[in-house]
Amino acid sequence: MKSIVIEQPGKLVIEQRPLMEPAPGEVRVKVSYAGICGSDVHIYHGHNPFAKYPRVIGHEFFGHIDCVGEGVDPARIGERVVVDPVVSCGHCYPCSIGRPNVCTTLQVIGVHRDGGFSDYAVAPAQNAYVVPAAIPDRLASMVEPFTIAANITAFLQPTPQDIALVYGAGPMGLTVIQVLKGVYGVQQVIVVDRIDERLAMARDNGADLTLNNLQQSVAEQLATQNCRPTLVIDAACHPSILQEAINLASPAARIGMMGFSGEASSITQQSITSKEISLFSSRLNSHRFPQVIAWMSEGKIDAEKLVTHCMPAHQVEAAMLLFEKDQRACCKVLLEF
Ligand code: NAI
Ligand code: MN
Ligand code: ZN
């Protein structure tokens, strides 16, 4: 089999490897599509603190089960599946309360162990979820990015009367917009970014109002609308955004964070407590695959709206470069195996 391997930071190779065998309790998936994510690019550049090298990257992938390990029902062979990258122990404190995404011994497929940018990948059998016929092969790998939006919104519990403000109209911001509109029916979704082309995508994905904060601050623009967001989601993740979000938010608002910056954010207790603001953080997903598969099957979310490119897997370097450098034209880039 061929695998896309980051041998060491900065060095990507397409390597011929012996076909892997699924361990007991695992399935082997013959991969047909995989999505490129910012974290794949970070591993490539050596900017992911969790990655070990060499590593087969890719954690958004779809394919067919073609072999099962000991203890797995052979009837599963042939299933069309997407794979939840969150591999957890099942018995630590977070696992015991249904939060395997922050398992004390968390292993993320494509980060801590070999992933889906490969002709074949192995995963625990319970991580492979059947994809119904309503979801075409090409879009199935998009389930994973939507699970991130499903996870953060599960904390925030959006309601139709919320005024939501979403920072960032990249892949993460767009999945969040779609879930706020299509699943929770939020009336007013405002999206801020610095790139007009991305704001156009935000509108196409359901945003009611878009703001470009390159020239004029969000605060100034919202003041003219006399608008106080009741729900803020930071999908841009610059450390300066948290204080701004707290200042802009309505009393009793909820704020969702998803960034991993190691830089400090400067915030005061007063700005949070005086308005009794709730802060939530969200990492990856906790068992959200079935929910997202249902939303996609029912047409509540439309993955097609995020996919701007699909390229053959052997062009992975060009695809990753495009994804990284051309934020005006690119959102989700898929690889076909
Ligand atoms: P992206 O880089 O494609 O999109 C970020 C967008 O935010 C860009 O369009 C950029 O122009 C905009 N932006 C940056 N700073 C801004 C600012 N100050 N004001 C307004 N807009 C601003 O990234 P992507 O893939 O959408 O991911 C977004 C973030 O989410 C990343 O930081 C990533 O690490 C994080 N993430 C977190 C996950 C989690 O589970 N917590 C999972 C996946 C991504
Ligand atoms: Mn991803
Ligand atoms: Zn655990």
Side-chain angles (χ1 to χ4, degrees):
M1 66 176 196
K2 283 199 176 110
S3 300
I4 295 166
V5 184
I6 307 301
E7 280 206 322
Q8 59 194 60
K11 187 161 184 231
L12 181 152
V13 291
I14 299 181
E15 197 172 88
Q16 190 73 41
R17 289 186 160 192
L19 185 61
M20 65 224 302
E21 292 301 323
E26 288 186 344
V27 295
R28 185 173 69 200
V29 177
K30 183 174 192 317
V31 177
S32 41
Y33 287 94
I36 297 177
C37 177
S39 59
D40 298 310
V41 178
H42 290 149
I43 296 172
Y44 183 19
H45 293 321
H47 297 159
N48 182 312
F50 311 110
K52 298 268 184 309
Y53 301 87
R55 176 63 62 238
V56 178
I57 51 176
H59 59 269
E60 304 175 3
F61 60 102
F62 162 81
H64 292 74
I65 295 179
D66 87 316
C67 183
V68 297
E70 200 187 304
V72 180
D73 184 356
R76 294 204 62 181
I77 292 170
E79 282 180 4
R80 299 169 72 234
V81 294
V82 281
V83 175
D84 184 346
V86 171
V87 178
S88 56
C89 78
H91 51 74
C92 66
Y93 169 69
C95 281
S96 75
I97 59 159
R99 293 170 66 178
N101 51 325
V102 285
C103 172
T104 56
T105 55
L106 175 68
Q107 295 263 299
V108 181
I109 295 175
V111 180
H112 304 87
R113 40 194 270 169
D114 283 343
F117 285 6
S118 177
D119 290 332
Y120 295 87
V122 294
Q126 71 265 26
N127 286 52
Y129 289 89
V130 173
V131 175
I135 303 176
D137 289 8
R138 201 178 92 89
L139 296 180
S141 68
M142 292 296 294
V143 170
E144 195 278 341
F146 275 100
T147 64
I148 311 293
N151 209 67
I152 195 163
T153 51
F155 283 116
L156 295 166
Q157 290 296 312
T159 67
Q161 80 259 34
D162 272 314
I163 298 171
L165 174 65
V166 178
Y167 278 89
M172 281 304 109
L174 298 184
T175 58
V176 165
I177 296 164
Q178 283 208 26
V179 170
L180 290 175
K181 294 301 289 185
V183 176
Y184 291 96
V186 175
Q187 300 275 311
Q188 177 78 330
V189 175
I190 305 167
V191 180
V192 52
D193 202 295
R194 299 154 158 175
I195 303 174
D196 282 329
E197 289 84 349
R198 288 209 147 178
L199 291 172
M201 285 199 80
R203 291 191 292 276
D204 189 44
N205 280 269
D208 300 291
L209 174 68
T210 56
L211 307 174
N212 189 322
N213 65 339
L214 194 60
Q215 310 285 354
Q216 196 184 16
S217 74
V218 188
E220 284 168 334
Q221 295 183 65
L222 287 184
T224 62
Q225 314 255 344
N226 200 12
C227 164
R228 301 218 99 179
T230 59
L231 181 64
V232 186
I233 299 181
D234 180 10
C237 305
H238 188 276
S240 65
I241 292 172
L242 183 57
Q243 181 67 70
E244 181 174 302
I246 291 166
N247 293 343
L248 291 174
S250 159
R254 300 90 78 209
I255 296 177
M257 299 183 273
M258 50 206 300
F260 289 94
S261 173
E263 266 179 63
S265 298
S266 168
I267 51 174
T268 62
Q269 295 179 354
Q270 186 182 65
S271 63
I272 300 172
T273 313
S274 61
K275 293 196 278 189
E276 203 176 64
I277 283 171
S278 303
L279 292 179
F280 295 93
S281 69
S282 176
R283 181 177 185 187
L284 303 167
N285 87 95
S286 56
H287 298 307
R288 305 272 168 212
F289 269 63
Q291 191 176 37
V292 170
I293 288 169
W295 292 345
M296 229 183 244
S297 306
E298 294 159 10
K300 290 182 171 163
I301 52 176
D302 180 3
E304 185 68 58
K305 286 193 187 299
L306 276 83
V307 179
T308 53
H309 298 78
C310 185
M311 294 164 73
H314 68 86
Q315 290 178 16
V316 60
E317 270 196 281
M320 285 174 77
L321 194 69
L322 180 79
F323 172 80
E324 189 187 354
K325 302 288 182 206
D326 197 358
Q327 292 203 319
R328 291 177 191 283
C330 249
C331 182
K332 206 47 152 175
V333 180
L334 303 179
L335 297 174
E336 190 172 358
F337 286 81

